[in-house]
Amino acid sequence: MKTLILSTSEEDLERAAHIIREGGLVAFPTETVYGLGADAMNARAVAGVYEAKGRPGDNPMIVHIARASDLGQLTPTLSPDIVTLVENFWPGPLTMVLRKKPGVPDRTTGGLDTVAVRMPDSEAALGLITKAACPVAAPSANISGRPSPTRARDVIADMDGKIDAIIEGEDCRIGIESTVVDMTGEVPVILRPGIITAENIKAALGKEVVYDKALLGKISEENQEGIKPKSPGMKYRHYAPKADMTVIEGQRDKVKAEIERLKALNERLGLKVGVILFEEKAFIEAAHDFFARLRDLDSEGVDLILAGALSDTDGVGFAVMNRMLKSAGYNIARV
Ligand code: TXA
Ligand code: MG
């Protein structure tokens, strides 16, 4: 398949929207990561997304809308808490899991009776969705299992020849995917951490917010077996670079020293080593750069990636650590 490379001009967004209306697939920029979009109400189009990504069929997609008034097509209930989060965080990197209306295809929600919805904070994304005049189902625009794409060239590397079009926009401002919060129960449950933290949601709602257990206790093999993640996407190997990867955790000076030691050791054995070590407490920068660094190190052909853990238990650093540990396959060395 020949993939059209489009710009974010009105004319190109109109062409892209036409492709989506016709059941085609278009990758587009958002403020978090690039998404791979299809008409969320068209089961056949959504099936194409799974195929292009090589994604397991039970992993549900996030449905993107451009106006809050589009929520009514997707969900039958809007609690006061949901309305508060819409007012505080949309457009923006917050996805809410809501009860779904029967009209939303099972294909889109992986057969669940809930639907994940967000309104992206990106002019190009909002323009595309508005012109398409349908909700747009979009997972991250990477081959399943690879690091999420934060730059148009990352999308081209994974998706060229597999989808109808790619909208080439700016690099994504945030760099990690949206926070996913389950709003179907009394207490909001964070299923995937992101830039909008538990603390932010708690402050907006004035009530308790909890993390899904699978997020907290995922380190040991035992826990991985015992805890069934509520967000189906959490159970697959994710964000994996081609290189082997180890996360070094501990007091910062020791982490630095251990990285230097392991780097020298492995280089002496003829391996090419890449290092990911962010400034202390520079969590926003870490979020912005992390996936791009993984992809750059892969292009450089490194054999081993040594990454310094971020010390943060519940903020943006925690969200980056969630991705870092997965990309390393929970391969952690403590010093
Ligand atoms: O920032 C983002 O959210 C990006 C951009 C493109 O918007 N999208 C994204 O989509 O990260 P994806 O498919 O890579 O991740 C969606 C996550 C998965 O972990 C999935 O399991 C979860 O959301 N999810 C989707 N629908 C769900 C539902 N009904 N219940 C629970 N989890 C759901
Ligand atoms: Mg993804």
Side-chain angles (χ1 to χ4, degrees):
M1 178 187 294
K2 171 103 181 75
T3 302
L4 276 176
I5 306 291
L6 301 174
S7 74
T8 55
S9 71
E10 287 291 308
E11 201 189 334
D12 276 8
L13 291 182
E14 188 53 65
R15 288 171 79 183
H18 180 76
I19 293 171
I20 287 191
R21 276 198 304 273
E22 298 287 304
L25 307 183
V26 177
F28 62 97
T30 81
E31 80 280 30
T32 57
V33 302
Y34 273 74
L36 174 54
D39 177 353
M41 308 307 260
N42 177 341
R44 217 160 42 87
V46 171
V49 174
Y50 285 99
E51 197 176 317
K53 276 182 67 91
R55 181 185 180 116
D58 70 337
N59 196 356
M61 295 188 190
I62 294 175
V63 176
H64 297 68
I65 58 176
R67 296 170 311 191
S69 57
D70 290 337
L71 268 173
Q73 294 181 59
L74 305 170
T75 184
T77 46
L78 291 175
S79 67
D81 283 349
I82 295 169
V83 175
T84 301
L85 294 187
V86 167
E87 282 171 352
N88 277 269
F89 299 113
W90 280 7
L94 181 73
T95 296
M96 284 192 266
V97 173
L98 308 171
R99 230 162 276 296
K100 102 171 171 83
K101 271 196 172 167
V104 183
D106 277 344
R107 256 298 180 186
T108 303
T109 62
L112 298 173
D113 56 3
T114 54
V115 57
V117 190
R118 92 173 184 104
M119 189 192 296
D121 186 16
S122 145
E123 234 175 87
L126 292 173
L128 172 69
I129 300 163
T130 304
K131 289 179 198 303
C134 60
V136 173
S140 48
N142 51 284
I143 291 170
S144 195
R146 300 263 304 132
S148 297
T150 58
R151 305 167 298 195
R153 63 176 177 281
D154 302 335
V155 180
I156 293 171
D158 280 16
M159 291 296 157
D160 194 20
K162 298 190 179 123
I163 60 177
D164 298 290
I166 296 171
I167 299 176
E168 252 188 323
E170 307 267 292
D171 292 357
C172 300
R173 195 168 73 238
I174 292 173
I176 56 171
E177 309 87 342
S178 60
T179 305
V180 179
V181 60
D182 182 352
M183 296 301 293
T184 59
E186 196 40 50
V187 178
V189 182
I190 296 200
L191 305 181
R192 181 174 71 183
I195 288 275
I196 294 177
T197 63
E199 204 50 51
N200 298 147
I201 297 171
K202 207 162 127 186
L205 297 179
K207 72 194 265 188
E208 182 199 8
V209 173
V210 301
Y211 286 110
D212 184 30
K213 280 199 211 68
L215 274 182
L216 300 173
K218 210 136 186 236
I219 309 259
S220 73
E221 284 288 310
E222 212 178 310
N223 282 341
Q224 284 198 49
E225 296 291 318
I227 297 172
K228 188 174 185 297
K230 199 158 181 205
S231 175
M234 305 296 292
K235 74 181 178 225
Y236 300 104
R237 176 114 200 265
H238 252 88
Y239 315 128
K242 293 180 190 130
D244 280 344
M245 180 167 165
T246 302
V247 177
I248 322 288
E249 193 181 77
Q251 195 248 322
R252 190 164 170 90
D253 290 341
K254 287 192 183 153
V255 167
K256 269 186 173 168
E258 181 65 359
I259 287 179
E260 280 315 309
R261 190 183 74 82
L262 289 174
K263 182 168 187 286
L265 190 80
N266 282 281
E267 283 175 347
R268 242 180 289 134
L269 300 174
L271 295 182
K272 197 165 170 187
V273 181
V275 171
I276 300 180
L277 185 64
F278 297 109
E279 294 293 315
E280 205 167 10
K281 307 261 181 268
F283 302 139
I284 297 283
E285 288 81 352
H288 183 268
D289 292 350
F290 180 65
F291 286 133
R293 286 283 292 149
L294 287 184
R295 283 182 175 261
D296 287 347
L297 290 171
D298 269 350
S299 323
E300 288 165 27
V302 307
D303 303 295
L304 173 66
I305 298 173
L306 300 169
L310 302 172
S311 48
D312 187 22
T313 50
D314 57 6
V316 174
F318 171 68
V320 179
M321 279 310 291
N322 169 266
R323 276 72 177 180
M324 193 185 279
L325 290 172
K326 283 188 193 174
S327 42
Y330 294 89
N331 187 13
I332 308 166
R334 294 198 175 80
V335 290

